[in-house]
Amino acid sequence: MKINFKPVALFALSVAVLAGCGGNAGSSASPEYNLQNVTFPLQEKVTLNFITQSSPLAPSDPNEKLIYQRLEEHTGVHINWKNYTSDSFTEKRNLAVASGDLPDAIMDAGYTDYELLQLGSDGTIVPVEELIEQHMPNLKKVLDEAPEYKAMITAPDGHIYAFPWIEELGSGKESIHSVNGMAWINMEWLNKLGLDMPSTTEELKKALLAFKEGDPNGNGEADEIPMSFIMNNGNEDMNFLFGSFGFGDNGDHTVVTNDGQVLFTADQDGYKEAIKYFHELYAMNLIDEESFEQDYNTYLAKGQDHRYGLYFQWDKANITGNNDKYELLPPLVGPDGKSNVTRTNNFGFSRGKMVITSTNKNLELTAKWIDQLYEPIQSVQNNWGTYGDETQQNIFKFDENKNMLTHLPLEGSAPVELRQKTNIGGPLAILDEYYGVYTTKPDDASWRLDLMKEKLVPHMEADHNYPPIFFSLEDQKQLSTIETDLFAYVNRKRAEWIKNGNVDAEWNEYLQELNRLGLDRWLAIKQKGYDSYTNS
């Protein structure tokens, strides 16, 4: 799981307003249906009211998705959705909580651990461990078979406040989640300029300079972009290249050494050396000026026009297509003669995917509906998309005799875009043992896993990454408070130094400011949590 470091100011305001308005005022939850011993499909259809989010590529009404239509037919439960695009969802969700206009449940809620504990402690959401035990056999089976997930979703106070998203695709260093954004280099340009695949940071610098000066696209114009990224934006960040400098960096700025020490990457000497290298590239006009503030659509458009010499993404097919024009840039040997692939802290796991609010008068019904999402065939569709849709390209072919979903070829479609049109996300569970039984692995995932195993895993120095620890509310408060200012400062200085240099001159002052912002306390809490987790 990737630890979420978003500022909590708006959420804190929402809680304050909620406390002042009396909680359930103006609730939009469904009426009480007095249903007990619920079995599906219901004899008479009923309606539950949910809030959710979706991609702008998806229908504005989730009920237009075939997955939800089948769920309604199977259960007899109609869902009345308030759906928001992902870019505005957090604000709309928080305003609903603040006003007391609570639905029955929030799907794809995206809550941080801190928010779950706050909402649980003030009674805005209900604990669900008894609902799981009594009414959710699909989820209970997952938690019984993989008890580590039950430990992960259980809060320090013993309650479970949300339903998780679980996606297993390999484990340990070979988990598909151990690396997010990879570096993809333009092979057509390398070949035209007579260059070999770079193997060191110096060779990459020379290749990028050749991209800039050698007119590799052959149009007689200097419109090539040697390197582009989106600063501080996960898969599109250039964190991958930091691995050539010591411990490297990741989205959480957190790594674990092989002797169990938790380190903050952004105060390491290797981090400083990486910044100096990126400043060299910037000073040579090899970095896209828009990298520091461009949005994804701008980044995507330039990539689809094949203007990049080097860019960063989870899968090249999402930007430049599944072809041979771009290939994975291997881990580069840095100035110290070593290469390293820094592991992310992702586990294919998220705690806060769906919550039930305290205004819900139909807990058994809601729990049993949510439990349908954890049925294996259903979970697979929730995650990737569905079959038998006559209006658009399908993700799967369904074999009724085998009760198995087979991934269809993507036919050149960008995987993320195709899936966002038809999947529903939210709570689900896909375990490694499902592959070959309930579904095949996606072709793009199998390809990525093979690529990682061959090219990246041998260069991963760290035996462990930082686990998804559920901290106490007090520790969460301290971490969230510290992270709001600490990460903003780190990200600001990172951009300033790449553009303007001066990292050597300002380094000591920077380290002092990190400690003033609470880095020492943050590290102590993270280390305590890691030690407790690994010793339990």
Side-chain angles (χ1 to χ4, degrees):
M1 168 187 136
K2 184 175 283 188
I3 309 296
N4 195 327
F5 294 116
K6 293 182 181 178
V8 297
L10 177 59
F11 174 72
L13 174 63
S14 298
V15 172
V17 175
L18 176 60
C21 73
N24 295 345
S27 166
S28 59
S30 299
E32 184 173 358
Y33 296 118
N34 295 311
L35 296 176
Q36 296 179 350
N37 301 316
V38 172
T39 57
F40 294 137
L42 300 176
Q43 292 183 351
E44 295 184 13
K45 185 171 291 189
V46 299
T47 296
L48 295 173
N49 297 327
F50 292 172
I51 289 177
T52 193
Q53 62 175 314
S54 65
S55 164
L57 299 174
S60 58
D61 180 3
N63 284 323
E64 292 182 20
K65 291 185 175 183
L66 186 55
I67 291 177
Y68 281 130
Q69 293 172 11
R70 287 182 175 137
L71 273 171
E72 181 166 335
E73 181 179 356
H74 172 69
T75 62
V77 178
H78 175 76
I79 306 299
N80 180 34
W81 298 100
K82 282 188 178 179
N83 179 43
Y84 303 100
T85 55
S86 302
D87 57 350
S88 65
F89 171 73
T90 299
E91 178 184 4
K92 299 295 187 181
R93 179 201 69 190
N94 289 345
L95 288 174
V97 173
S99 67
D101 187 22
L102 294 173
D104 295 300
I106 304 176
M107 172 91 162
D108 250 343
Y111 278 127
T112 66
D113 293 348
Y114 178 82
E115 292 167 335
L116 288 177
L117 291 172
Q118 280 279 27
L119 293 167
S121 65
D122 68 21
T124 302
I125 60 177
V126 300
V128 298
E129 61 272 6
E130 291 186 7
L131 294 175
I132 294 172
E133 191 67 28
Q134 297 173 11
H135 303 303
M136 303 184 72
N138 289 317
L139 177 54
K140 186 176 183 301
K141 185 173 186 290
V142 170
L143 300 181
D144 288 344
E145 292 180 356
E148 64 271 21
Y149 290 116
K150 184 172 184 179
M152 288 180 187
I153 64 177
T154 301
D157 63 6
H159 289 305
I160 298 173
Y161 290 110
F163 301 104
W165 170 84
I166 300 167
E167 181 200 67
E168 293 183 347
L169 271 163
S171 60
K173 290 182 178 182
E174 295 187 12
S175 166
I176 202 168
H177 303 285
S178 64
V179 178
N180 49 14
M182 298 178 180
W184 305 98
I185 193 164
N186 193 319
M187 294 304 298
E188 288 187 340
W189 291 4
L190 285 176
N191 293 334
K192 182 169 184 178
L193 297 170
L195 298 172
D196 293 329
M197 175 71 79
S199 61
T200 70
T201 52
E202 283 302 306
E203 289 177 5
L204 176 62
K205 185 193 305 180
K206 292 176 182 177
L208 295 178
L209 184 61
F211 291 165
K212 175 178 179 288
E213 297 178 344
D215 189 28
N217 66 11
N219 67 355
E221 300 179 14
D223 58 349
E224 293 88 352
I225 300 173
M227 181 170 110
S228 190
F229 50 86
I230 304 178
M231 181 72 85
N232 308 319
N233 197 58
N235 292 332
E236 294 76 45
D237 196 281
M238 78 306 199
N239 278 328
F240 184 86
L241 294 184
F242 275 83
S244 301
F245 303 86
F247 291 105
D249 193 24
N250 55 33
D252 304 336
H253 304 304
T254 308
V255 296
V256 181
T257 67
N258 287 345
D259 60 1
Q261 182 183 4
V262 179
L263 294 180
F264 185 67
T265 57
D267 70 348
Q268 303 294 312
D269 287 342
Y271 181 89
K272 179 176 67 172
E273 295 305 310
I275 295 293
K276 290 162 67 174
Y277 174 76
F278 293 125
H279 173 62
E280 279 189 76
L281 301 184
Y282 184 83
M284 297 167 70
N285 294 317
L286 303 180
I287 291 179
D288 184 2
E289 181 66 39
E290 293 185 325
S291 296
F292 300 91
E293 55 187 26
Q294 65 186 331
D295 61 22
Y296 183 79
N297 288 334
T298 302
Y299 184 70
L300 174 63
K302 290 184 291 187
Q304 290 178 332
D305 285 342
H306 301 289
R307 295 180 62 195
Y308 296 147
L310 183 72
Y311 73 93
F312 303 84
Q313 235 292 333
W314 174 273
D315 184 339
K316 66 178 181 179
N318 293 329
I319 300 289
T320 53
N322 187 19
N323 52 57
D324 296 331
K325 292 181 179 179
Y326 288 81
E327 289 187 10
L328 175 68
L329 179 73
L332 301 175
V333 174
D336 63 356
K338 298 179 180 179
S339 62
N340 177 34
V341 173
T342 307
R343 295 176 64 177
T344 68
N345 296 313
N346 294 342
F347 279 75
F349 169 80
S350 177
R351 260 186 285 268
K353 274 295 178 178
M354 188 166 190
V355 297
I356 298 176
T357 75
S358 57
T359 59
N360 189 311
K361 304 178 185 66
N362 303 282
L363 295 179
E364 178 184 337
L365 173 66
T366 304
K368 288 186 174 178
W369 186 90
I370 295 171
D371 192 52
Q372 300 304 302
L373 305 180
Y374 287 100
E375 190 276 327
I377 291 291
Q378 184 66 53
S379 278
V380 170
Q381 295 176 78
N382 297 350
N383 202 43
W384 286 304
T386 194
Y387 64 93
D389 192 330
E390 298 179 357
T391 67
Q392 58 188 315
Q393 184 176 344
N394 287 286
I395 294 289
F396 293 107
K397 177 178 67 176
F398 182 54
D399 186 329
E400 292 188 11
N401 294 326
K402 294 182 179 178
N403 193 37
M404 184 175 176
L405 294 161
T406 301
H407 281 270
L408 294 170
L410 291 168
E411 299 177 356
S413 298
V416 67
E417 293 183 8
L418 179 57
R419 289 162 187 159
Q420 286 178 354
K421 291 177 182 178
T422 60
N423 72 355
I424 64 175
L428 58 88
I430 301 172
L431 305 182
D432 272 334
E433 52 262 38
Y434 288 9
Y435 301 111
V437 178
Y438 299 110
T439 185
T440 55
K441 286 182 181 176
D443 288 344
D444 57 306
S446 294
W447 171 79
R448 193 178 195 272
L449 285 165
D450 290 343
L451 191 65
M452 287 174 55
K453 185 174 182 178
E454 178 186 357
K455 303 289 188 180
L456 303 184
V457 171
H459 297 270
M460 290 182 186
E461 294 184 358
D463 292 333
H464 310 285
N465 53 358
Y466 198 84
I469 297 167
F470 209 149
F471 289 98
S472 68
L473 182 56
E474 182 55 38
D475 283 344
Q476 285 288 349
K477 286 179 180 177
Q478 291 191 59
L479 290 172
S480 296
T481 300
I482 293 169
E483 287 159 4
T484 298
D485 293 331
L486 180 69
F487 280 71
Y489 176 68
V490 167
N491 293 340
R492 176 170 62 84
K493 294 305 294 184
R494 184 188 190 192
E496 286 179 7
W497 284 332
I498 291 174
K499 287 185 174 184
N500 305 323
N502 299 321
V503 64
D504 274 331
E506 298 178 8
W507 187 250
N508 288 337
E509 179 184 348
Y510 167 77
L511 295 179
Q512 292 172 6
E513 181 64 8
L514 293 181
N515 287 324
R516 189 191 71 80
L517 293 172
L519 176 58
D520 286 346
R521 179 59 185 152
W522 183 88
L523 278 169
I525 296 171
K526 299 288 274 190
Q527 186 70 59
K528 179 186 70 173
Y530 182 80
D531 293 342
S532 176
Y533 182 93
T534 54
N535 292 326
S536 61

